[in-house]
Amino acid sequence: MESAGAQRRKNRERTVRPTECVQAESASETQPEVKNLIYMIGDGMGLAHVSMLQIAEGYDHPTAFMRAENIALIKNYSSNNRVTDSAASGTALATGHKTNNRMLGMTPDSAAVESIIARAVKRDMPTGLVVTCHLGHATPGAFYAHVSKRTLYDAIYSQFVESGIDVALGGGAKYFDAGNPEGAARSARLAEQGYRIVRDLADADTIRSGRLVGLFADDSMPYALEERGEEYLGRATAKALEILDNNARRQDRGFVLMVEGSMIDYAAHENSAEKLLPEMRDFERAVEVAMAFVDAHPGTLLVVTSDHETGGLSLPSGHTDFTRSESGVEYRFSTESHTGIMLPVYLYGAGAERINGVLENSELSVRLMELLGVR
Ligand SMILES: [Zn+2]
């Protein structure tokens, strides 16, 4: 017997299943409300992580998150667990379908489902992925791959090279290594399709349009606290926006860019506030870059959200005596895993007023597809 709770959850999912939403027909026939979409995901970033950054920066210096024009909350449980992993939540955010933990780009019964990026590619819209993890990791993978297990990296990378995504910047060089047959074949396949491959972001300085794959580490990139620094994600986001905007103008289309602050999650798994803050700063600078792009390019919507909270971070007062003027805060983690807490969605730019309230993570994706006219 199914529990009443499980039945209620199923019903809720049913209400957001894209095929049953009747508004889609008319929306796709009219001019889309949003031309360009910048979809930013702080992996593992909960409200406490955003608050931690704001407290560290000081309230006299509002972070980019504070400039949001509208906000929403998303529920992120997966089809088979109250606490989601990145594969199931990535799939929900990318495709509008919830699935089981570990599955990528598929429903629980293994039916492949199309992401917002795959839908954009079909419509000749330029698309891009910018991450700090490796390009086959769960969140970016959810935007192009269909596999039953998120760790099937050979299959994931083979699907990546056929994805038609214009710009992809992150780690993962070992999956393109000429020293092994699969890696060599993938590199050859990219070259055949006109991609330029760079190993350092600075090598892309003169590349302003076309197709680009940046492989900046064998696996995931180093922490911002270590060699990566706090400038990478903003610079990579600016480069991707420049190329996609130029490609989009040539094709008289809008574009879709997904940017992930991937290693907020890694630092939170380690319960390391020292590593977490620089990851948040790097992500926030990328949000600033995206906001500046939105300001200069009407018709662009920026959505900043997360796939799940990692670490169970809380920010208790450093002192129980609240009569003291400044007691500081402590960073306390309650788990080395993920939590089931709802997540913030920050919206800025065209159509920002169209999304608010409490949504399923999958429903957020469906709404974005509608606004972009790719449903
Ligand atoms: Zn995640």
Side-chain angles (χ1 to χ4, degrees), residues 96-293:
H97 294 266
K98 283 189 186 262
T99 192
N100 292 341
N101 286 359
R102 319 309 283 176
M103 296 180 83
L104 210 50
M106 288 181 166
T107 57
D109 55 1
S110 298
V113 278
E114 257 185 343
S115 78
I116 189 165
I117 280 196
R119 288 162 185 262
V121 169
K122 268 193 178 170
R123 289 161 177 81
D124 290 327
M125 295 169 71
T127 57
L129 300 173
V130 174
V131 299
T132 56
C133 59
H134 67 90
L135 291 165
H137 209 259
T139 308
F143 284 83
Y144 61 81
H146 311 281
V147 287
S148 58
K149 280 203 194 83
R150 58 183 283 184
T151 48
L152 295 172
Y153 291 128
D154 275 324
I156 292 170
Y157 276 97
S158 297
Q159 293 178 35
F160 168 73
V161 299
E162 302 300 333
S163 66
I165 293 169
D166 297 68
V167 179
L169 307 176
K174 72 177 182 187
Y175 299 98
F176 297 86
D177 186 353
N180 71 69
E182 290 90 4
R186 286 187 200 115
S187 289
R189 182 67 187 127
L190 287 180
E192 195 177 285
Q193 297 175 86
Y195 285 92
R196 278 159 298 182
I197 302 176
V198 295
R199 301 297 171 132
D200 190 306
L201 187 54
D203 294 340
D205 281 351
T206 56
I207 300 174
R208 308 202 184 284
S209 62
R211 291 179 143 185
L212 173 68
V213 171
L215 301 168
F216 308 135
D218 262 346
D219 213 300
S220 291
M221 295 181 72
Y223 276 116
L225 180 70
E226 294 159 358
E227 302 97 275
R228 197 180 88 237
E230 294 175 9
E231 306 291 333
Y232 162 74
L233 208 53
R235 285 176 55 217
T237 299
K239 177 48 67 180
L241 285 170
E242 180 189 12
I243 294 176
L244 293 180
D245 187 40
N246 283 331
N247 290 359
R249 282 170 205 279
R250 283 183 193 178
Q251 289 162 233
D252 194 24
R253 294 276 194 280
F255 65 77
V256 183
L257 172 65
M258 193 286 285
V259 177
E260 185 193 26
S262 321
M263 293 171 67
I264 296 167
D265 174 69
Y266 295 21
H269 274 293
E270 285 192 38
N271 288 0
S272 170
E274 194 194 8
K275 288 177 178 167
L276 182 52
L277 256 178
E279 293 303 322
M280 284 301 300
R281 286 204 187 95
D282 193 33
F283 186 61
E284 192 236 353
R285 284 176 189 175
V287 174
E288 271 178 8
V289 166
M291 284 180 161
F293 185 92

Side-chain angles (χ1 to χ4, degrees), residues 307-373:
D307 58 345
H308 54 78
E309 194 272 352
T310 304
L313 179 63
S314 65
L315 308 172
S317 168
H319 201 282
T320 50
D321 180 2
F322 288 118
T323 61
R324 287 158 58 121
S325 61
E326 177 53 87
S327 310
V329 291
E330 289 176 16
Y331 305 135
R332 278 198 211 150
F333 296 90
S334 61
T335 176
E336 291 179 352
S337 185
H338 299 175
T339 69
I341 197 164
M342 286 194 288
L343 304 164
V345 183
Y346 301 92
L347 298 121
Y348 188 79
E353 74 288 352
R354 297 291 306 275
I355 295 177
N356 54 27
V358 182
L359 312 171
E360 296 294 342
N361 52 2
S362 49
E363 189 182 359
L364 172 63
S365 178
V366 171
R367 297 270 197 97
L368 295 177
M369 290 178 195
E370 284 172 1
L371 287 176
L372 204 61

Side-chain angles (χ1 to χ4, degrees), residues 286-302:
V287 174
E288 271 178 8
V289 166
M291 284 180 161
F293 185 92
V294 170
D295 290 341
H297 299 80
T300 306
L301 172 63
L302 168 65

Side-chain angles (χ1 to χ4, degrees), residues 21 160 286 375:
C21 180
F160 168 73
R375 266 288 298 283

Side-chain angles (χ1 to χ4, degrees), residues 82-93:
R82 293 174 199 199
V83 179
T84 188
D85 78 335
S86 295
S89 54
T91 299
L93 291 172

Side-chain angles (χ1 to χ4, degrees), residues 50-63 66 315:
V50 179
S51 305
M52 176 195 198
L53 176 70
Q54 185 60 75
I55 288 169
E57 298 295 308
Y59 276 100
D60 294 341
H61 301 96
T63 62
M66 306 306 145
L315 308 172

